[in-house]
Amino acid sequence: QVQLVESGGGLVQPGGSLRLSCAASGSIYSPYFMGWYRQAPGKQRELVATITSESTVYYGDSAKGRFTISIDNAKNTVYLQMNRLKPADTAVYSCALITGGSTYWGQGTQVTVSS
């Protein structure tokens, strides 16, 4: 069984920064894939950024130039550093892990960008 625990969400003013963390535990097999997705009210889930255990990264259009995804393989933890946040970034951010042919999701963490 795999568990994902997210942290780091909250309320931030426009232009501010937040760092999300997602710690995975359980049966994790390399290579593996982790990513951040977000869903705003009334909108479809959107890919934010992904990273593999070999540190290959991909950014969605909304994240390019502002967000940075990184991974600590020793801790099975993925981070999302979000800078220059905008109100349009307000959403529930969820972490995903693909390993051993299965996909696992975290519970999600709310990010609200508002003055």
Side-chain angles (χ1 to χ4, degrees):
Q1 189 71 13
V2 172
Q3 285 191 322
L4 301 176
V5 179
E6 299 141 332
S7 60
L11 173 64
V12 64
Q13 292 187 340
S17 298
L18 281 176
R19 187 194 194 206
L20 305 182
S21 300
C22 175
S25 61
S27 301
I28 301 169
Y29 306 98
S30 293
Y32 59 86
F33 166 104
M34 296 188 78
W36 287 98
Y37 297 76
R38 70 185 186 185
Q39 188 165 21
K43 295 188 176 182
Q44 289 189 329
R45 186 165 60 198
E46 173 188 14
L47 183 150
V48 178
T50 63
I51 189 166
T52 69
S53 50
E54 286 81 27
S55 298
T56 300
V57 302
Y58 173 84
Y59 293 99
D61 289 341
S62 63
K64 291 177 181 176
R66 299 187 300 129
F67 297 177
T68 302
I69 191 169
S70 60
I71 195 165
D72 184 335
N73 288 314
K75 298 180 179 179
N76 292 328
T77 299
V78 64
Y79 305 95
L80 184 69
Q81 177 66 43
M82 304 187 293
N83 299 326
R84 290 184 283 132
L85 284 161
K86 309 172 183 178
D89 295 316
T90 296
V92 174
Y93 286 70
S94 299
C95 172
L97 165 68
I98 299 177
T99 183
S102 297
T103 302
Y104 303 91
W105 289 92
Q107 79 283 1
T109 184
Q110 177 70 45
V111 171
T112 302
V113 184
S114 175
S115 55

